[in-house]
Amino acid sequence: MTPRRVRGLLLHVVLAGGTILALFPFYWMVVMATNTNADIYRFPPKLTFGSQLPTNLRNVFDSIDFFGSLLNTVIVATTTTLLVLFFDSLAAFAFAKFDFPGRKVLFGVLIGTFFLPVGLAIIPGFVIMVELGWVGSLKALVVPAAANAFGIFFLRQYIHNAVPDSVLDAARLDGAGFFRQYFSLIVPIVRPGLAFLGIYTFIASWNDFIWPLVVLVNPDQVTLQVALQQLNSVHGLDYSRVMTGALLSVIPLIVMFLLFARNFVSDLAMGAVGE
Amino acid sequence: MTLSRTAAPVAPKTRPRAHPHRAPGRRRRVLSYWPQYLAISPFYILFAVFGLAPVLFSFYLAFQRWDGIGEMQFAGLDNFKYLIKDEVFWLSLRNTLLIWVMSTVPTLCLALVLAVMLNSVKRFKAFYRMAFFIPNITSVVAISIFFGALFATNYGLVNGVLETVGLPGVAWLQSVWGIKTVIAVLTVWQWTGYNAIIYLAGLQTISTDLYEQAKVDGANAAQVFFRITLPLLRPIILFTVVISTVGGLQTFTEPKVLVGDTAGTGQSGLTMVFYFYRQAFSHNDYGYGAAIAMVVLLVVALFTILNWTLVQRGQDGENG
Amino acid sequence: MTISRRRLLQAGLFGMASAAVGVTAACGDDDSSGTTGGDSKELSLWYWSGGLSDKVVAAVSTQFPDITFKPTQVGGAFKDKLVTTITSRQFMPDITGIKGEDIAYFMGQAGQFLDLNELGAGDLKAQYLEWKWKQGSATDGKLIGFPIDIGPTALFYRADIFKKAGLPSEVADVTAAMGTWDTFFEQGVKLKAALPGTFMVGEAAEVFDMAVGQTTKRYADADKKFIGDQEHIRNAWDLAAKAVKLGISFKVQSGGQDANAAWNQGTLPAKLGAAWVALDIKSAAEKTSGKWRVAPMPSGPANQGGSFLAIPKSSGNPKKAFEIITWMLNADNQAKGYTDAALFPSAPAAYKLPALTAADEFFGGQVTIDVFGPAAAKIPVAYESQYDSVLREPFAAELSNVETKGKDPEKAWTDAVAAAKQAGERVGVS
């Protein structure tokens, strides 16, 4: 074999090894979800599938309102994502292609918000929600997240790289205003960027834990992560049940990702550094 | 028609005007940009209400004494004075920094290596990329529960493997360094792929001409990497370092789920945000919690600036 | 020019923020916005897993058909959740559980709950253990918490493992051989020698907390004075340090997964705990049924845990809520609680009921009330301050240092006391 072939093979071996490390936990979670507690506590641990899955699933559904919290999570994630895509792309367009007064300063402020530790905002945020009367409501999760700095930053880069001025100038000559340009030109062109940001936002919203934990005071209306934590603390001793719950909370997202993220890397590339 | 014009018809910079005319001109210009201001306003409004206001309130709260239910009492600098004497806080600071270094350095280095590898493979590209990114999609709660089982002393898989090959098991979650190690491993597992994909995107923008040229000039792989690849990736590396700093210094969910509210042996898992949470929500000492939060903010800002200078200085050094 | 614009921007943002802050900073203890009418037909209950018998909870709907009953098992840190909800003034349940370790804290928030005496609790006082009733009452006599269970402690052990190690395994023999801490430790050393890798004690903190529980004082007294450096704490400390020194501690977190695994594997064949711990053992180690026994705790019983039910002031139907509470906690249902959830009744009338005097097959057919009954009668009553948990924390942390990092117990003691004093100053304990 030529040195190049050897190197190529070696590369694949290393990458395959890495893939195993990356994906192994999911295999192991399935193992735990299909076994009983006694099997999990065995030493050395059992590495193969058992047949406990139906029982464990039933236990999970008895312990938490799985489908209810799943629905809540889907509602929150979807609404947040749609709002983010709309607000962020609109703002990004403004920043990317228009030199309005104060643009630099405002954009600087935007960048500055990256550095604000979010943990700080929990207590005051909670108090604000109390005053607004949004405690326990899904509104409290969606509204604060409806526009974020990262999305604007990313899409601005994207628009900057992907939308030629000539296209916009032509549209302006035709009399198109800001919003018309946005809807008919920008949105179609930056669709891949929107896809990336959409996936990114959806995932972040789906996995959000601390804020929903604090603000969804009504235990009957929670998101999936909070329900999972409830499961863990109420039935923490029942490991097979908890792992089944964890697995269930992870699967929908992976499926979604596999379906929609084919061009994840190239979408990201366009936004990060241009073509 | 110039292709470089991105602005609306009037380009302020190229039109010096006498003073008296400026005000009305600017007002008209500002008003003519109303769509743009409208477009960017949702973010700033939301940020002001849900981002800035809480931080300012936190700042205010740090000078109060409040248990969440009763009245607030002004406490002046008491919270901060106590903070300086508080051994547990300084412990949490040390823990946070240690965990951050133990997590971030391996993550970013591995991510870079991984990105280079991913860039070189010809087949299964999409598969590898997706596979390595998937750890990042998993919720921290689920993963922390899982890693708790993986590294359990008596029945965890890791010890199982160790003992099968004849090595003694380690009390991972019952020892000071063990706890930090597990948290670091968890973080590396979850974030390497994410950072690698970002680096990969950056690598793909480097023109292959540069590599060709370098090969013609007789450079070997290492030289290519350090002299060409790395410098060109610097902005992206800076980005990931900053994000990792801001995120890493606020680690909380992982230790909380892994070692519980006591923060484990010797409180080894007690990070600053964890301590903040304990003071605010378990001890109902919101004022003190806010004071801790303020210090977290300072530390994050400090280290971000530190990292920024380090990476930037490196760049200037390279080019200079 | 740029500067002034930036300042303008900052001023604008600050203005908006101040407005928001001003609104939120005005939050204080104003009247809750919950229903103040007293006749809601829907009543909610918050409790935690194992806090009440699920069967009794389920039976409430049948017993009280004229209302809709909504019980919820709240996971996570129950107290944190409750306090957050109180702060938010919304979604407060109509009835709530309060854990024994938190009742002292909520005494400081007594205004958030109704005085059960005003609903007629006084008539029932005689049916419950006096010290428990007192524990649920504020200093001015208001009854905040209605007693659910108490937590008389004992020694749970695996008879089969003890036998294998050559230790006494029948209850009577164990009682005789491990009557004091010292003899208990001796047996622990024997256990380790006979079966290496097997430990008598889960972690030093267990010994410490039990020993403190056997005294009549805690970390602060009724005048908010710090007493954590006194003899009773010091003795408990020395005992815990001794357990570490003798090497009989497994160093696993009490109630954690590793402990559960150890119960299953037989490497932790003993557990010092309250009656309700039986439920934990049963759920974590079902396969070991029949092998456990219960013996009296070395050097006498303590009380650990034991909770209450309370009615928040925003409750939608206080009268009905009180009826439900007192029905759920009558002697019969408390007996059911013992069978279902190992909740040791706080109503002495229950002790004679068949449910209590039955044999428990998990414990090899032993009649466990023979151990818990006498233990309950001898529980030393102590004043528990709302600051105890804060003051205890440094002791637990330093003990963990002694146990796992090998820190010198003397130094650890000094550090713990200093840190506890400092923490105490912060909350007003001198």
Side-chain angles (χ1 to χ4, degrees), chain C residues 19-37:
Chain C
V21 168
V23 164
T24 61
C27 66
D29 197 289
D30 57 332
D31 269 322
S32 86
S33 47
T35 48
T36 44

Side-chain angles (χ1 to χ4, degrees), chain C residues 17 67 90 139 249:
Chain C
I67 51 122
Q90 285 177 46
T139 38
S249 163

Side-chain angles (χ1 to χ4, degrees), chain B residues 22 26 44-45 47-49 52-54 56-57 60 64-72 78-79 82 85-87 151-155 173-176 256 258-267 275 277-279 281-288, chain C residues 1 5 9-10 13-14 16-18 20-21 24-30 77 79-80 83-84 86-88 105-106 108-109 112 250-253 256-262 265 267 389-390 393 397 400-401 404-405 419 422-428:
Chain B
R22 269 228 240 191
R26 186 185 306 153
Y44 288 101
I45 295 176
F47 172 67
V49 176
L52 190 61
L56 292 175
F57 183 50
Y60 169 78
Q64 310 289 327
R65 182 183 220 112
W66 191 41
D67 65 356
I69 304 182
E71 297 284 327
M72 278 197 237
D78 283 354
N79 291 331
Y82 185 76
K85 288 191 294 177
D86 190 352
E87 283 293 330
F151 281 90
T153 313
N154 287 336
Y155 59 94
L173 292 172
Q174 277 93 33
S175 71
V176 172
K256 185 165 194 317
L258 275 173
V259 285
D261 289 321
T262 60
T265 313
Q267 303 192 84
Y275 191 50
Y277 184 87
R278 180 193 284 179
Q279 289 299 339
F281 291 103
S282 300
H283 291 180
N284 297 116
D285 197 344
Y286 288 101
Y288 189 46
Chain C
M1 186 182 56
R5 226 184 281 161
L9 188 67
Q10 287 173 341
L13 285 174
F14 190 82
M16 272 193 278
S18 308
V21 168
T24 61
C27 66
D29 197 289
D30 57 332
K79 166 175 160 271
D80 294 352
V83 172
T84 317
I86 292 179
T87 317
S88 75
Y105 169 78
F106 282 107
Q109 303 293 340
Q112 298 293 327
F250 204 153
K251 307 183 188 175
V252 282
Q253 204 176 27
Q257 299 289 5
D258 274 318
N260 297 342
Q265 292 164 10
T267 44
S389 62
V390 171
E393 224 171 58
S400 145
N401 285 338
T404 52
K405 296 209 281 196
Q422 202 181 29
E425 269 170 38
R426 178 139 186 86
V427 291

Side-chain angles (χ1 to χ4, degrees), chain C residues 316-392:
Chain C
N317 193 340
K319 274 231 186 93
K320 209 56 181 191
F322 186 70
E323 273 180 51
I324 295 179
I325 288 182
T326 46
W327 179 78
M328 280 202 286
L329 299 177
N330 66 29
D332 278 324
N333 282 327
Q334 284 205 353
K336 290 213 182 80
Y338 187 67
T339 331
D340 296 339
L343 297 167
F344 196 83
S346 51
Y351 300 171
K352 313 257 180 5
L353 295 175
L356 272 278
T357 53
D360 191 331
E361 75 169 57
F362 191 84
F363 294 104
Q366 183 182 1
V367 179
T368 50
I369 187 130
D370 291 341
V371 174
F372 288 119
K378 287 199 288 194
I379 290 178
V381 183
Y383 171 76
E384 284 171 7
S385 144
Q386 66 184 109
Y387 308 110
D388 277 339
S389 62
V390 171
L391 296 171
R392 176 192 164 275

